Amino acid sequence: MDKTFKALIEGLHPTFERLLAMESVFEPPLDMPKRGVYLFSENGAHLYVGRSNTMRKRYKQHTNRGSPHNQASFAYKLACEKCNIPSPTYKKGDGQSERLKNPILAAEFFKAKERVLAMDYRYVEEADPTRQSMLEAYACIALETPYNNFENH
């Protein structure tokens, strides 16, 4: 294994442990780090990991009642699951915007944003973009978060 990559991987676990050890919050403080990795959990179950260079803003996008599907992606996934709707194919007429014209899915999407707002929220600072990306993947794999995937579309 490449020694630089190995050092990067081996250095992720202490930061991951800080993420898990953080006392959860329901509203990010004004002085939170700008860049890092965050975790949404509910009733002790870790559900979704994300990363951002504007974490406070990103939290608001996930939880704001008016956020569209492309900003509240976790809530959109929750709503689709509730409505038993598979992932979009991104073919004309089967994208997320088109699907949200369904009033049942739109109502569930609104409820899902409220649900995400009530979840435990933890975060850890990670400014380096490579480490941030690797830490997100590490946390997703280690925690087996059910709403993360790394599929391309």
mmCIF file of all heavy atoms in Angstrom, residues 7-55:
data_model
loop_
_atom_site.group_PDB
_atom_site.id
_atom_site.type_symbol
_atom_site.label_atom_id
_atom_site.label_comp_id
_atom_site.label_asym_id
_atom_site.label_seq_id
_atom_site.Cartn_x
_atom_site.Cartn_y
_atom_site.Cartn_z
ATOM 1 N N ALA A 7 -0.920 6.273 5.717
ATOM 2 C CA ALA A 7 -0.887 7.243 6.825
ATOM 3 C C ALA A 7 -2.211 8.004 6.910
ATOM 4 O O ALA A 7 -2.727 8.254 8.005
ATOM 5 C CB ALA A 7 0.282 8.205 6.649
ATOM 6 N N LEU A 8 -2.765 8.349 5.756
ATOM 7 C CA LEU A 8 -4.052 9.042 5.730
ATOM 8 C C LEU A 8 -5.138 8.171 6.346
ATOM 9 O O LEU A 8 -5.882 8.620 7.219
ATOM 10 C CB LEU A 8 -4.422 9.411 4.285
ATOM 11 C CG LEU A 8 -5.825 9.970 4.064
ATOM 12 C CD1 LEU A 8 -5.957 11.345 4.688
ATOM 13 C CD2 LEU A 8 -6.148 10.021 2.601
ATOM 14 N N ILE A 9 -5.222 6.937 5.933
ATOM 15 C CA ILE A 9 -6.240 6.008 6.440
ATOM 16 C C ILE A 9 -6.075 5.791 7.944
ATOM 17 O O ILE A 9 -7.051 5.826 8.704
ATOM 18 C CB ILE A 9 -6.173 4.662 5.685
ATOM 19 C CG1 ILE A 9 -6.528 4.838 4.218
ATOM 20 C CG2 ILE A 9 -7.055 3.610 6.328
ATOM 21 C CD1 ILE A 9 -7.920 5.334 3.955
ATOM 22 N N GLU A 10 -4.852 5.565 8.370
ATOM 23 C CA GLU A 10 -4.614 5.302 9.789
ATOM 24 C C GLU A 10 -4.917 6.513 10.661
ATOM 25 O O GLU A 10 -5.239 6.370 11.828
ATOM 26 C CB GLU A 10 -3.173 4.828 9.996
ATOM 27 C CG GLU A 10 -2.939 3.434 9.452
ATOM 28 C CD GLU A 10 -1.487 2.987 9.484
ATOM 29 O OE1 GLU A 10 -0.587 3.820 9.756
ATOM 30 O OE2 GLU A 10 -1.258 1.791 9.226
ATOM 31 N N GLY A 11 -4.847 7.698 10.092
ATOM 32 C CA GLY A 11 -5.126 8.912 10.850
ATOM 33 C C GLY A 11 -6.602 9.258 10.963
ATOM 34 O O GLY A 11 -6.973 10.194 11.672
ATOM 35 N N LEU A 12 -7.473 8.519 10.300
ATOM 36 C CA LEU A 12 -8.902 8.836 10.318
ATOM 37 C C LEU A 12 -9.594 8.432 11.611
ATOM 38 O O LEU A 12 -10.521 9.110 12.065
ATOM 39 C CB LEU A 12 -9.612 8.156 9.140
ATOM 40 C CG LEU A 12 -9.245 8.648 7.748
ATOM 41 C CD1 LEU A 12 -9.950 7.803 6.704
ATOM 42 C CD2 LEU A 12 -9.540 10.118 7.578
ATOM 43 N N HIS A 13 -9.184 7.344 12.203
ATOM 44 C CA HIS A 13 -9.923 6.806 13.350
ATOM 45 C C HIS A 13 -10.008 7.771 14.539
ATOM 46 O O HIS A 13 -11.089 7.902 15.121
ATOM 47 C CB HIS A 13 -9.375 5.445 13.783
ATOM 48 C CG HIS A 13 -10.299 4.758 14.730
ATOM 49 N ND1 HIS A 13 -11.507 4.212 14.327
ATOM 50 C CD2 HIS A 13 -10.233 4.580 16.068
ATOM 51 C CE1 HIS A 13 -12.127 3.704 15.378
ATOM 52 N NE2 HIS A 13 -11.368 3.909 16.447
ATOM 53 N N PRO A 14 -8.935 8.464 14.924
ATOM 54 C CA PRO A 14 -9.075 9.408 16.042
ATOM 55 C C PRO A 14 -10.115 10.509 15.768
ATOM 56 O O PRO A 14 -10.878 10.883 16.667
ATOM 57 C CB PRO A 14 -7.672 9.993 16.199
ATOM 58 C CG PRO A 14 -6.768 8.953 15.631
ATOM 59 C CD PRO A 14 -7.547 8.333 14.497
ATOM 60 N N THR A 15 -10.182 10.986 14.546
ATOM 61 C CA THR A 15 -11.180 12.010 14.203
ATOM 62 C C THR A 15 -12.578 11.411 14.221
ATOM 63 O O THR A 15 -13.534 12.025 14.698
ATOM 64 C CB THR A 15 -10.869 12.624 12.823
ATOM 65 O OG1 THR A 15 -9.502 13.041 12.798
ATOM 66 C CG2 THR A 15 -11.758 13.822 12.533
ATOM 67 N N PHE A 16 -12.712 10.198 13.731
ATOM 68 C CA PHE A 16 -13.981 9.466 13.783
ATOM 69 C C PHE A 16 -14.433 9.304 15.237
ATOM 70 O O PHE A 16 -15.608 9.516 15.550
ATOM 71 C CB PHE A 16 -13.785 8.102 13.109
ATOM 72 C CG PHE A 16 -14.936 7.153 13.265
ATOM 73 C CD1 PHE A 16 -16.125 7.350 12.585
ATOM 74 C CD2 PHE A 16 -14.821 6.048 14.094
ATOM 75 C CE1 PHE A 16 -17.184 6.468 12.717
ATOM 76 C CE2 PHE A 16 -15.872 5.148 14.232
ATOM 77 C CZ PHE A 16 -17.063 5.366 13.546
ATOM 78 N N GLU A 17 -13.525 8.958 16.123
ATOM 79 C CA GLU A 17 -13.864 8.814 17.543
ATOM 80 C C GLU A 17 -14.328 10.138 18.150
ATOM 81 O O GLU A 17 -15.246 10.164 18.963
ATOM 82 C CB GLU A 17 -12.676 8.254 18.324
ATOM 83 C CG GLU A 17 -12.451 6.782 18.054
ATOM 84 C CD GLU A 17 -11.286 6.208 18.842
ATOM 85 O OE1 GLU A 17 -10.289 6.924 19.092
ATOM 86 O OE2 GLU A 17 -11.382 5.018 19.209
ATOM 87 N N ARG A 18 -13.716 11.244 17.741
ATOM 88 C CA ARG A 18 -14.160 12.565 18.227
ATOM 89 C C ARG A 18 -15.579 12.867 17.746
ATOM 90 O O ARG A 18 -16.382 13.434 18.478
ATOM 91 C CB ARG A 18 -13.200 13.668 17.778
ATOM 92 C CG ARG A 18 -11.899 13.703 18.555
ATOM 93 C CD ARG A 18 -11.133 15.018 18.440
ATOM 94 N NE ARG A 18 -11.092 15.632 17.129
ATOM 95 C CZ ARG A 18 -10.216 15.342 16.175
ATOM 96 N NH1 ARG A 18 -9.300 14.418 16.375
ATOM 97 N NH2 ARG A 18 -10.249 15.969 15.021
ATOM 98 N N LEU A 19 -15.884 12.472 16.520
ATOM 99 C CA LEU A 19 -17.242 12.655 15.994
ATOM 100 C C LEU A 19 -18.249 11.918 16.862
ATOM 101 O O LEU A 19 -19.258 12.477 17.287
ATOM 102 C CB LEU A 19 -17.321 12.163 14.543
ATOM 103 C CG LEU A 19 -18.703 12.134 13.892
ATOM 104 C CD1 LEU A 19 -19.252 13.542 13.724
ATOM 105 C CD2 LEU A 19 -18.637 11.418 12.550
ATOM 106 N N LEU A 20 -17.971 10.662 17.159
ATOM 107 C CA LEU A 20 -18.900 9.855 17.959
ATOM 108 C C LEU A 20 -18.984 10.315 19.409
ATOM 109 O O LEU A 20 -20.035 10.189 20.037
ATOM 110 C CB LEU A 20 -18.507 8.383 17.903
ATOM 111 C CG LEU A 20 -18.684 7.690 16.564
ATOM 112 C CD1 LEU A 20 -18.284 6.236 16.668
ATOM 113 C CD2 LEU A 20 -20.100 7.830 16.046
ATOM 114 N N ALA A 21 -17.889 10.853 19.922
ATOM 115 C CA ALA A 21 -17.855 11.277 21.324
ATOM 116 C C ALA A 21 -18.529 12.629 21.549
ATOM 117 O O ALA A 21 -18.861 12.968 22.685
ATOM 118 C CB ALA A 21 -16.413 11.344 21.816
ATOM 119 N N MET A 22 -18.753 13.368 20.477
ATOM 120 C CA MET A 22 -19.360 14.686 20.621
ATOM 121 C C MET A 22 -20.765 14.574 21.183
ATOM 122 O O MET A 22 -21.540 13.714 20.773
ATOM 123 C CB MET A 22 -19.415 15.394 19.265
ATOM 124 C CG MET A 22 -20.029 16.763 19.365
ATOM 125 S SD MET A 22 -20.498 17.428 17.765
ATOM 126 C CE MET A 22 -21.426 18.846 18.312
ATOM 127 N N GLU A 23 -21.087 15.450 22.109
ATOM 128 C CA GLU A 23 -22.455 15.538 22.618
ATOM 129 C C GLU A 23 -23.330 16.053 21.484
ATOM 130 O O GLU A 23 -23.017 17.054 20.841
ATOM 131 C CB GLU A 23 -22.488 16.523 23.798
ATOM 132 C CG GLU A 23 -23.841 16.720 24.384
ATOM 133 C CD GLU A 23 -24.017 15.939 25.665
ATOM 134 O OE1 GLU A 23 -23.038 15.505 26.257
ATOM 135 O OE2 GLU A 23 -25.186 15.786 26.046
ATOM 136 N N SER A 24 -24.405 15.358 21.203
ATOM 137 C CA SER A 24 -25.252 15.767 20.079
ATOM 138 C C SER A 24 -25.937 17.099 20.375
ATOM 139 O O SER A 24 -26.163 17.461 21.524
ATOM 140 C CB SER A 24 -26.285 14.692 19.760
ATOM 141 O OG SER A 24 -27.189 14.551 20.817
ATOM 142 N N VAL A 25 -26.239 17.813 19.308
ATOM 143 C CA VAL A 25 -26.930 19.098 19.403
ATOM 144 C C VAL A 25 -28.154 19.051 18.493
ATOM 145 O O VAL A 25 -28.248 18.228 17.585
ATOM 146 C CB VAL A 25 -26.007 20.271 19.002
ATOM 147 C CG1 VAL A 25 -24.833 20.395 19.954
ATOM 148 C CG2 VAL A 25 -25.518 20.153 17.575
ATOM 149 N N PHE A 26 -29.081 19.937 18.754
ATOM 150 C CA PHE A 26 -30.263 20.040 17.893
ATOM 151 C C PHE A 26 -30.220 21.296 17.035
ATOM 152 O O PHE A 26 -31.008 21.450 16.132
ATOM 153 C CB PHE A 26 -31.544 19.999 18.724
ATOM 154 C CG PHE A 26 -31.774 18.650 19.340
ATOM 155 C CD1 PHE A 26 -31.504 18.431 20.677
ATOM 156 C CD2 PHE A 26 -32.223 17.589 18.578
ATOM 157 C CE1 PHE A 26 -31.700 17.183 21.236
ATOM 158 C CE2 PHE A 26 -32.414 16.331 19.127
ATOM 159 C CZ PHE A 26 -32.148 16.136 20.462
ATOM 160 N N GLU A 27 -29.279 22.168 17.348
ATOM 161 C CA GLU A 27 -29.071 23.382 16.560
ATOM 162 C C GLU A 27 -27.577 23.664 16.607
ATOM 163 O O GLU A 27 -27.011 23.827 17.686
ATOM 164 C CB GLU A 27 -29.855 24.552 17.141
ATOM 165 C CG GLU A 27 -29.642 25.873 16.450
ATOM 166 C CD GLU A 27 -30.279 25.955 15.070
ATOM 167 O OE1 GLU A 27 -31.232 25.216 14.798
ATOM 168 O OE2 GLU A 27 -29.815 26.772 14.268
ATOM 169 N N PRO A 28 -26.908 23.673 15.468
ATOM 170 C CA PRO A 28 -25.469 23.916 15.475
ATOM 171 C C PRO A 28 -25.145 25.292 16.071
ATOM 172 O O PRO A 28 -25.818 26.279 15.770
ATOM 173 C CB PRO A 28 -25.087 23.875 14.003
ATOM 174 C CG PRO A 28 -26.196 23.175 13.323
ATOM 175 C CD PRO A 28 -27.421 23.445 14.123
ATOM 176 N N PRO A 29 -24.128 25.362 16.920
ATOM 177 C CA PRO A 29 -23.751 26.649 17.512
ATOM 178 C C PRO A 29 -23.133 27.580 16.473
ATOM 179 O O PRO A 29 -22.625 27.134 15.444
ATOM 180 C CB PRO A 29 -22.735 26.257 18.585
ATOM 181 C CG PRO A 29 -22.178 24.964 18.125
ATOM 182 C CD PRO A 29 -23.280 24.266 17.380
ATOM 183 N N LEU A 30 -23.172 28.849 16.765
ATOM 184 C CA LEU A 30 -22.614 29.836 15.839
ATOM 185 C C LEU A 30 -21.115 29.647 15.634
ATOM 186 O O LEU A 30 -20.587 29.968 14.577
ATOM 187 C CB LEU A 30 -22.899 31.255 16.343
ATOM 188 C CG LEU A 30 -24.365 31.665 16.339
ATOM 189 C CD1 LEU A 30 -24.543 33.024 16.999
ATOM 190 C CD2 LEU A 30 -24.926 31.681 14.920
ATOM 191 N N ASP A 31 -20.436 29.125 16.647
ATOM 192 C CA ASP A 31 -18.984 28.981 16.554
ATOM 193 C C ASP A 31 -18.536 27.598 16.061
ATOM 194 O O ASP A 31 -17.379 27.233 16.217
ATOM 195 C CB ASP A 31 -18.335 29.283 17.903
ATOM 196 C CG ASP A 31 -18.727 28.286 18.988
ATOM 197 O OD1 ASP A 31 -19.704 27.528 18.799
ATOM 198 O OD2 ASP A 31 -18.058 28.279 20.041
ATOM 199 N N MET A 32 -19.440 26.864 15.462
ATOM 200 C CA MET A 32 -19.054 25.530 14.974
ATOM 201 C C MET A 32 -18.041 25.672 13.840
ATOM 202 O O MET A 32 -17.991 26.700 13.165
ATOM 203 C CB MET A 32 -20.272 24.727 14.518
ATOM 204 C CG MET A 32 -20.851 25.115 13.183
ATOM 205 S SD MET A 32 -22.290 24.146 12.707
ATOM 206 C CE MET A 32 -21.586 22.561 12.446
ATOM 207 N N PRO A 33 -17.213 24.638 13.634
ATOM 208 C CA PRO A 33 -16.252 24.704 12.537
ATOM 209 C C PRO A 33 -16.964 24.842 11.192
ATOM 210 O O PRO A 33 -18.094 24.377 11.024
ATOM 211 C CB PRO A 33 -15.507 23.371 12.599
ATOM 212 C CG PRO A 33 -16.029 22.635 13.760
ATOM 213 C CD PRO A 33 -17.152 23.384 14.363
ATOM 214 N N LYS A 34 -16.294 25.482 10.278
ATOM 215 C CA LYS A 34 -16.881 25.696 8.958
ATOM 216 C C LYS A 34 -16.849 24.420 8.113
ATOM 217 O O LYS A 34 -17.827 24.079 7.456
ATOM 218 C CB LYS A 34 -16.136 26.821 8.247
ATOM 219 C CG LYS A 34 -16.768 27.227 6.942
ATOM 220 C CD LYS A 34 -16.142 28.469 6.383
ATOM 221 C CE LYS A 34 -16.860 28.803 5.087
ATOM 222 N NZ LYS A 34 -16.561 30.123 4.614
ATOM 223 N N ARG A 35 -15.727 23.720 8.142
ATOM 224 C CA ARG A 35 -15.532 22.547 7.283
ATOM 225 C C ARG A 35 -15.433 21.285 8.118
ATOM 226 O O ARG A 35 -14.774 21.260 9.141
ATOM 227 C CB ARG A 35 -14.249 22.703 6.478
ATOM 228 C CG ARG A 35 -14.287 23.874 5.551
ATOM 229 C CD ARG A 35 -12.971 23.975 4.805
ATOM 230 N NE ARG A 35 -13.081 25.011 3.805
ATOM 231 C CZ ARG A 35 -12.243 26.001 3.675
ATOM 232 N NH1 ARG A 35 -11.190 26.081 4.454
ATOM 233 N NH2 ARG A 35 -12.423 26.904 2.748
ATOM 234 N N GLY A 36 -16.093 20.238 7.638
ATOM 235 C CA GLY A 36 -15.985 18.987 8.363
ATOM 236 C C GLY A 36 -16.964 17.928 7.911
ATOM 237 O O GLY A 36 -17.518 17.979 6.808
ATOM 238 N N VAL A 37 -17.180 16.986 8.815
ATOM 239 C CA VAL A 37 -18.058 15.839 8.587
ATOM 240 C C VAL A 37 -19.121 15.855 9.669
ATOM 241 O O VAL A 37 -18.844 16.176 10.824
ATOM 242 C CB VAL A 37 -17.242 14.525 8.614
ATOM 243 C CG1 VAL A 37 -18.138 13.309 8.573
ATOM 244 C CG2 VAL A 37 -16.260 14.505 7.447
ATOM 245 N N TYR A 38 -20.354 15.520 9.291
ATOM 246 C CA TYR A 38 -21.458 15.536 10.244
ATOM 247 C C TYR A 38 -22.215 14.212 10.210
ATOM 248 O O TYR A 38 -22.109 13.447 9.258
ATOM 249 C CB TYR A 38 -22.402 16.708 9.978
ATOM 250 C CG TYR A 38 -22.971 16.748 8.582
ATOM 251 C CD1 TYR A 38 -24.155 16.083 8.280
ATOM 252 C CD2 TYR A 38 -22.336 17.441 7.566
ATOM 253 C CE1 TYR A 38 -24.686 16.114 6.995
ATOM 254 C CE2 TYR A 38 -22.854 17.482 6.277
ATOM 255 C CZ TYR A 38 -24.026 16.817 6.002
ATOM 256 O OH TYR A 38 -24.554 16.834 4.744
ATOM 257 N N LEU A 39 -22.983 13.984 11.272
ATOM 258 C CA LEU A 39 -23.702 12.730 11.447
ATOM 259 C C LEU A 39 -25.094 13.005 11.992
ATOM 260 O O LEU A 39 -25.235 13.726 12.985
ATOM 261 C CB LEU A 39 -22.925 11.840 12.425
ATOM 262 C CG LEU A 39 -23.601 10.579 12.955
ATOM 263 C CD1 LEU A 39 -23.855 9.580 11.832
ATOM 264 C CD2 LEU A 39 -22.723 9.960 14.051
ATOM 265 N N PHE A 40 -26.101 12.443 11.353
ATOM 266 C CA PHE A 40 -27.470 12.474 11.860
ATOM 267 C C PHE A 40 -27.798 11.106 12.442
ATOM 268 O O PHE A 40 -27.569 10.078 11.788
ATOM 269 C CB PHE A 40 -28.478 12.784 10.742
ATOM 270 C CG PHE A 40 -28.529 14.225 10.333
ATOM 271 C CD1 PHE A 40 -27.954 14.637 9.139
ATOM 272 C CD2 PHE A 40 -29.160 15.171 11.131
ATOM 273 C CE1 PHE A 40 -28.009 15.964 8.750
ATOM 274 C CE2 PHE A 40 -29.217 16.505 10.745
ATOM 275 C CZ PHE A 40 -28.635 16.906 9.557
ATOM 276 N N SER A 41 -28.338 11.108 13.669
ATOM 277 C CA SER A 41 -28.717 9.865 14.352
ATOM 278 C C SER A 41 -30.107 10.040 14.951
ATOM 279 O O SER A 41 -30.533 11.158 15.244
ATOM 280 C CB SER A 41 -27.732 9.538 15.476
ATOM 281 O OG SER A 41 -26.416 9.495 15.003
ATOM 282 N N GLU A 42 -30.778 8.903 15.150
ATOM 283 C CA GLU A 42 -32.126 8.929 15.714
ATOM 284 C C GLU A 42 -32.285 7.710 16.617
ATOM 285 O O GLU A 42 -32.043 6.583 16.183
ATOM 286 C CB GLU A 42 -33.138 8.901 14.568
ATOM 287 C CG GLU A 42 -34.574 9.036 14.973
ATOM 288 C CD GLU A 42 -35.484 9.061 13.758
ATOM 289 O OE1 GLU A 42 -35.381 8.156 12.887
ATOM 290 O OE2 GLU A 42 -36.295 9.989 13.666
ATOM 291 N N ASN A 43 -32.680 7.978 17.864
ATOM 292 C CA ASN A 43 -32.875 6.891 18.834
ATOM 293 C C ASN A 43 -31.653 5.970 18.914
ATOM 294 O O ASN A 43 -31.785 4.746 18.964
ATOM 295 C CB ASN A 43 -34.129 6.085 18.503
ATOM 296 C CG ASN A 43 -35.373 6.934 18.497
ATOM 297 O OD1 ASN A 43 -35.543 7.798 19.354
ATOM 298 N ND2 ASN A 43 -36.236 6.718 17.524
ATOM 299 N N GLY A 44 -30.483 6.554 18.866
ATOM 300 C CA GLY A 44 -29.248 5.791 18.973
ATOM 301 C C GLY A 44 -28.774 5.141 17.684
ATOM 302 O O GLY A 44 -27.691 4.560 17.649
ATOM 303 N N ALA A 45 -29.556 5.212 16.637
ATOM 304 C CA ALA A 45 -29.172 4.628 15.348
ATOM 305 C C ALA A 45 -28.549 5.710 14.464
ATOM 306 O O ALA A 45 -29.151 6.765 14.244
ATOM 307 C CB ALA A 45 -30.384 4.025 14.647
ATOM 308 N N HIS A 46 -27.356 5.440 13.969
ATOM 309 C CA HIS A 46 -26.677 6.374 13.073
ATOM 310 C C HIS A 46 -27.225 6.159 11.665
ATOM 311 O O HIS A 46 -27.188 5.045 11.139
ATOM 312 C CB HIS A 46 -25.172 6.146 13.123
ATOM 313 C CG HIS A 46 -24.616 6.245 14.499
ATOM 314 N ND1 HIS A 46 -24.777 7.380 15.289
ATOM 315 C CD2 HIS A 46 -23.928 5.367 15.256
ATOM 316 C CE1 HIS A 46 -24.190 7.183 16.454
ATOM 317 N NE2 HIS A 46 -23.677 5.960 16.464
ATOM 318 N N LEU A 47 -27.750 7.235 11.071
ATOM 319 C CA LEU A 47 -28.478 7.097 9.816
ATOM 320 C C LEU A 47 -27.794 7.699 8.600
ATOM 321 O O LEU A 47 -27.897 7.145 7.496
ATOM 322 C CB LEU A 47 -29.869 7.719 9.954
ATOM 323 C CG LEU A 47 -30.754 7.141 11.050
ATOM 324 C CD1 LEU A 47 -32.072 7.894 11.116
ATOM 325 C CD2 LEU A 47 -30.978 5.652 10.836
ATOM 326 N N TYR A 48 -27.137 8.833 8.773
ATOM 327 C CA TYR A 48 -26.627 9.536 7.602
ATOM 328 C C TYR A 48 -25.388 10.347 7.959
ATOM 329 O O TYR A 48 -25.370 11.060 8.954
ATOM 330 C CB TYR A 48 -27.709 10.476 7.054
ATOM 331 C CG TYR A 48 -27.355 11.175 5.769
ATOM 332 C CD1 TYR A 48 -27.482 10.533 4.547
ATOM 333 C CD2 TYR A 48 -26.912 12.483 5.774
ATOM 334 C CE1 TYR A 48 -27.162 11.176 3.359
ATOM 335 C CE2 TYR A 48 -26.591 13.148 4.592
ATOM 336 C CZ TYR A 48 -26.720 12.486 3.394
ATOM 337 O OH TYR A 48 -26.409 13.118 2.214
ATOM 338 N N VAL A 49 -24.365 10.235 7.128
ATOM 339 C CA VAL A 49 -23.129 10.992 7.274
ATOM 340 C C VAL A 49 -22.980 11.892 6.059
ATOM 341 O O VAL A 49 -23.278 11.478 4.931
ATOM 342 C CB VAL A 49 -21.904 10.051 7.367
ATOM 343 C CG1 VAL A 49 -20.602 10.844 7.425
ATOM 344 C CG2 VAL A 49 -22.017 9.126 8.568
ATOM 345 N N GLY A 50 -22.528 13.098 6.283
ATOM 346 C CA GLY A 50 -22.272 14.018 5.185
ATOM 347 C C GLY A 50 -21.016 14.817 5.452
ATOM 348 O O GLY A 50 -20.438 14.751 6.537
ATOM 349 N N ARG A 51 -20.623 15.580 4.465
ATOM 350 C CA ARG A 51 -19.459 16.453 4.628
ATOM 351 C C ARG A 51 -19.751 17.774 3.943
ATOM 352 O O ARG A 51 -20.569 17.837 3.011
ATOM 353 C CB ARG A 51 -18.210 15.814 4.057
ATOM 354 C CG ARG A 51 -18.247 15.586 2.571
ATOM 355 C CD ARG A 51 -16.998 14.814 2.138
ATOM 356 N NE ARG A 51 -17.113 14.402 0.761
ATOM 357 C CZ ARG A 51 -16.545 15.039 -0.267
ATOM 358 N NH1 ARG A 51 -15.823 16.104 -0.057
ATOM 359 N NH2 ARG A 51 -16.710 14.588 -1.490
ATOM 360 N N SER A 52 -19.112 18.820 4.426
ATOM 361 C CA SER A 52 -19.388 20.131 3.860
ATOM 362 C C SER A 52 -18.269 21.110 4.190
ATOM 363 O O SER A 52 -17.580 20.965 5.199
ATOM 364 C CB SER A 52 -20.715 20.667 4.430
ATOM 365 O OG SER A 52 -20.994 21.945 3.916
ATOM 366 N N ASN A 53 -18.134 22.106 3.346
ATOM 367 C CA ASN A 53 -17.226 23.219 3.622
ATOM 368 C C ASN A 53 -17.985 24.390 4.229
ATOM 369 O O ASN A 53 -17.390 25.429 4.531
ATOM 370 C CB ASN A 53 -16.512 23.658 2.346
ATOM 371 C CG ASN A 53 -15.461 22.659 1.934
ATOM 372 O OD1 ASN A 53 -14.888 21.963 2.767
ATOM 373 N ND2 ASN A 53 -15.191 22.572 0.643
ATOM 374 N N THR A 54 -19.280 24.214 4.396
ATOM 375 C CA THR A 54 -20.128 25.224 5.048
ATOM 376 C C THR A 54 -21.127 24.470 5.933
ATOM 377 O O THR A 54 -22.324 24.444 5.642
ATOM 378 C CB THR A 54 -20.863 26.091 4.008
ATOM 379 O OG1 THR A 54 -21.615 25.229 3.144
ATOM 380 C CG2 THR A 54 -19.895 26.927 3.184
ATOM 381 N N MET A 55 -20.631 23.837 6.998
ATOM 382 C CA MET A 55 -21.464 22.900 7.764
ATOM 383 C C MET A 55 -22.722 23.536 8.352
ATOM 384 O O MET A 55 -23.770 22.917 8.328
ATOM 385 C CB MET A 55 -20.642 22.237 8.873
ATOM 386 C CG MET A 55 -19.791 21.115 8.344
ATOM 387 S SD MET A 55 -19.277 19.935 9.599
ATOM 388 C CE MET A 55 -18.320 20.937 10.688
#
